[in-house]
């Protein structure tokens, strides 16, 4: 190997932002990807499509006279998600970093747009969507993505201020607080809580003074408790999950039906398509309570498999972030950790709600539940994680799956230094 390198001409220094012809090149796109993460996400997307089909056909046939009403729309959303994911993967990370503040501003502007009369579409008392013909945009889902980008960029730009001053810690919280207040106006309590927890987790990873975080956590917790107490329906949700069978036909109806579904599934389930609870018993079976349908039709082992796959995705996100930190790519590090936190918390809350461990809250299961915006944003996050891994492999000549590595040659000027 040494003799081969010695006979090659020295490479010239390349300006920043341009790739040297002697930098490692990947033999095929798949060779430079985290195949485990890619296969896991693809499996969840495919299984999600199958389970949405199984869970939605009875209610679609009753409400619209077409059993494939939700299936076709979920298929369209899945195709759109894959296109958006491919586009996100094609964007270099430095471009995401430059655009992060502007994307957060765009997300806040879209949330303000929802408050204008006649613009937002209201469903079940919540105004969360901007109708765009065949597609309805949900800005709060996009804000999860934008907020993670913004805070990751901020922790790089203001690293010293975040770690040493209260103002450096407070600035991103003000911006995120404004966005979360607009989300609460829709209202969407769950999304606002997930964004706040993700941001505080990133600030902790960014080295913020624990005294400042210690002041913020009780304040945010007190605010959330106050928001629960001022709205009777939120208080009912919080209290009814403790004893759902005390009122199985009213406040505890949804959770009690979900628990019945898990009970019917036992160890191996009743078989794909043979579930009973999805047939007009379990509300939102194809959206927030899809895991209960999986539990009934595939049993405990099927649910454990789903949880294990999500745990693998979160682990890969944190592992990619740790590798980025070791390479000095701090923006990539924070972004990967942020997406890992975001996906992990959404899965934890959805599983907790379905199994009665947490109060009922409408958060979809990432990659699987029906809902175009949540599906698209989840795929976008996975695509950016794959991009981070791709750039880390390319930058350092890390061994790629086929074992072929071309070393990065330094110019003579740098080698003498």
């Amino acid at each position: 190997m040494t003799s081969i390198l010695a006979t090659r001409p020295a490479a010239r220094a390349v300006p920043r932002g341009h790739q040297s012809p002697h930098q490692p090149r990947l033999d095929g796109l798949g060779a430079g990807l985290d195949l485990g993460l890619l296969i896991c996400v693809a499996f969840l997307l495919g299984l999600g499509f199958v389970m949405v089909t199984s869970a939605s056909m009875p209610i679609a046939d009753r409400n619209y006279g077409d059993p494939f009403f939700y299936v076709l729309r979920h298929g369209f959303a899945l195709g759109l998600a894959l296109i958006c994911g491919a586009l996100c993967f094609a964007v270099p990370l430095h471009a995401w970093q430059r655009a992060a503040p502007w994307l957060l501003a765009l997300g806040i502007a879209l949330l303000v747009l929802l408050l204008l009369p006649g613009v937002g579409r209201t469903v079940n008392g919540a105004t969360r969507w901007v109708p765009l013909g065949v597609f309805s945009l949900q800005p709060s889902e996009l804000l999860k993505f934008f907020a993670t980008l913004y805070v990751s960029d901020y922790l790089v730009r203001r690293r010293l201020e975040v770690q040493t001053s209260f103002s450096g810690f407070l600035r991103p919280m003000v911006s995120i607080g404004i966005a979360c207040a607009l989300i609460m106006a829709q209202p969407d309590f769950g999304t606002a809580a997930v964004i706040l927890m993700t941001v505080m987790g990133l600030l902790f990873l960014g080295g913020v003074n624990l005294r400042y975080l210690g002041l913020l956590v009780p304040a945010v917790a007190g605010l959330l408790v106050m928001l629960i107490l001022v709205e009777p329906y939120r208080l009912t949700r919080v209290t009814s999950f403790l004893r759902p069978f005390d009122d199985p036909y009213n406040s505890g109806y949804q959770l009690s039906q979900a628990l019945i579904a898990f009970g019917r599934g036992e160890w191996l389930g009743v078989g794909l398509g043979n579930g009973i609870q999805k047939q007009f018993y379990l509300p939102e079976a194809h959206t927030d309570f899809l895991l209960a349908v999986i539990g009934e039709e595939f049993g405990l082992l099927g649910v454990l498999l789903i949880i294990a796959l999500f745990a693998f995705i979160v682990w890969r996100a944190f592992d990619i972030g740790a590798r980025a930190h070791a390479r000095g790519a701090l923006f990539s590090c924070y972004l990967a950790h942020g997406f890992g936190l975001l996906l992990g918390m959404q899965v934890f809350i959805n599983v907790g709600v379905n199994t009665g461990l947490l109060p009922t809250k409408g958060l979809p299961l990432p990659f699987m539940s029906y809902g175009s915006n949540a599906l698209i944003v989840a795929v976008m996050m996975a695509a950016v994680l794959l991009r981070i891994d791709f750039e880390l492999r390319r930058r350092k000549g890390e061994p790629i799956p086929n074992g072929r590595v071309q070393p990065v040659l330094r110019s003579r000027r740098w080698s003498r230094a």
Side-chain angles (χ1 to χ4, degrees):
M1 178 65 74
T2 304
S3 61
I4 294 175
L5 293 179
T7 58
R8 291 186 178 180
R12 294 182 302 170
V14 180
R16 186 177 181 180
H18 297 272
Q19 182 175 343
S20 167
H22 297 290
Q23 284 182 344
R25 295 185 303 182
L26 303 175
D27 297 334
L29 184 60
L33 294 180
D34 188 326
L35 292 180
L37 176 60
L38 180 62
I39 292 171
C40 189
V41 170
F43 179 82
L44 289 175
L45 290 173
L47 181 60
F49 182 81
V50 172
M51 295 312 302
V52 166
T53 301
S54 175
S56 66
M57 291 181 72
I59 190 172
D61 187 40
R62 181 186 67 177
N63 293 344
Y64 301 99
D66 179 9
F68 297 99
F69 179 84
Y70 292 113
V71 177
L72 294 176
R73 280 155 178 76
H74 189 71
F76 173 77
L78 182 58
L80 195 58
L82 293 177
I83 294 173
C84 292
L87 293 175
C88 286
F89 179 80
V91 176
L93 289 170
H94 64 81
W96 286 118
Q97 186 173 6
R98 286 199 303 264
W102 302 103
L103 290 175
L104 180 68
L106 173 63
I108 293 176
L110 290 173
L111 292 173
V112 173
L113 187 64
L114 281 175
L115 301 180
L116 301 179
V119 175
R121 182 167 65 93
T122 302
V123 177
N124 295 330
T127 307
R128 302 175 185 171
W129 298 269
V130 178
L132 301 173
V134 296
F135 176 77
S136 294
L137 179 66
Q138 188 176 356
S140 60
E141 287 292 336
L142 280 177
L143 197 75
K144 296 176 184 178
F145 187 81
F146 295 160
T148 309
L149 285 171
Y150 169 75
V151 176
S152 299
D153 170 59
Y154 183 87
L155 289 173
V156 176
R157 287 187 293 108
R158 306 285 185 176
R159 186 181 183 188
L160 186 60
E161 294 180 35
V162 169
Q163 296 176 354
T164 59
S165 69
F166 183 72
S167 61
F169 161 73
L170 189 62
R171 280 196 204 101
M173 292 308 305
V174 170
S175 301
I176 299 302
I178 292 172
C180 290
L182 292 170
I183 293 174
M184 288 298 303
Q186 297 178 2
D188 190 351
F189 180 83
T191 299
V194 166
I195 291 174
L196 282 174
M197 288 188 291
T198 300
V199 169
M200 288 191 291
L202 276 176
L203 290 172
F204 173 76
L205 293 175
V208 68
N209 192 311
L210 293 182
R211 288 178 299 174
Y212 304 149
L213 204 58
L215 293 174
L216 181 65
V217 170
V220 171
L223 178 61
L224 295 178
V225 170
M226 184 184 69
L227 292 172
I228 290 172
L229 295 177
V230 297
E231 289 289 348
Y233 80 93
R234 292 190 189 125
L235 183 60
T236 301
R237 284 183 175 183
V238 170
T239 55
S240 63
F241 89 100
L242 297 173
R243 301 173 66 98
F245 290 100
D246 285 355
D247 191 8
Y249 297 107
N250 191 11
S251 61
Y253 178 76
Q254 199 164 23
L255 179 55
S256 61
Q257 295 301 318
L259 294 177
I260 290 172
F262 284 114
R264 291 194 72 250
E266 298 184 351
W267 286 99
L268 299 177
V270 298
L272 178 62
N274 295 327
I276 299 298
Q277 294 304 110
K278 65 188 180 184
Q279 301 194 26
F280 318 126
Y281 294 104
L282 178 62
E284 310 296 335
H286 58 297
T287 56
D288 304 335
F289 281 82
L290 187 67
L291 188 68
V293 178
I294 295 174
E296 183 178 11
E297 298 190 354
F298 290 102
L300 176 63
L301 294 183
V303 173
L304 292 178
L305 174 62
I306 298 298
I307 294 175
L309 291 175
F310 279 116
F312 178 81
I313 291 175
V314 174
W315 169 69
R316 291 307 307 142
F318 277 90
D319 181 69
I320 291 171
R323 285 167 47 214
H325 185 269
R327 304 278 174 80
L330 293 182
F331 175 72
S332 299
C333 165
Y334 294 133
L335 192 58
H337 283 128
F339 286 155
L341 285 171
L342 194 56
L343 290 171
M345 279 189 291
Q346 288 187 94
V347 173
F348 175 77
I349 293 174
N350 184 274
V351 173
V353 166
N354 274 258
T355 56
L357 298 176
L358 294 174
T360 302
K361 183 65 200 82
L363 279 179
L365 193 62
F367 305 113
M368 300 189 73
S369 292
Y370 176 84
S372 55
N373 289 271
L375 181 64
I376 290 170
V377 171
V379 173
M380 288 169 61
M381 288 190 285
V384 175
L385 286 173
L386 289 170
R387 178 72 195 194
I388 296 172
D389 177 77
F390 175 78
E391 290 198 7
L392 289 174
R393 294 175 190 268
R394 184 177 64 181
R395 180 184 305 173
K396 293 296 183 181
E398 179 180 301
I400 53 181
N402 62 6
R404 298 179 62 183
V405 181
Q406 299 178 10
V408 179
L409 300 180
R410 298 180 180 179
S411 66
R412 292 177 180 174
R413 179 166 62 89
W414 290 113
S415 61
R416 287 197 300 269

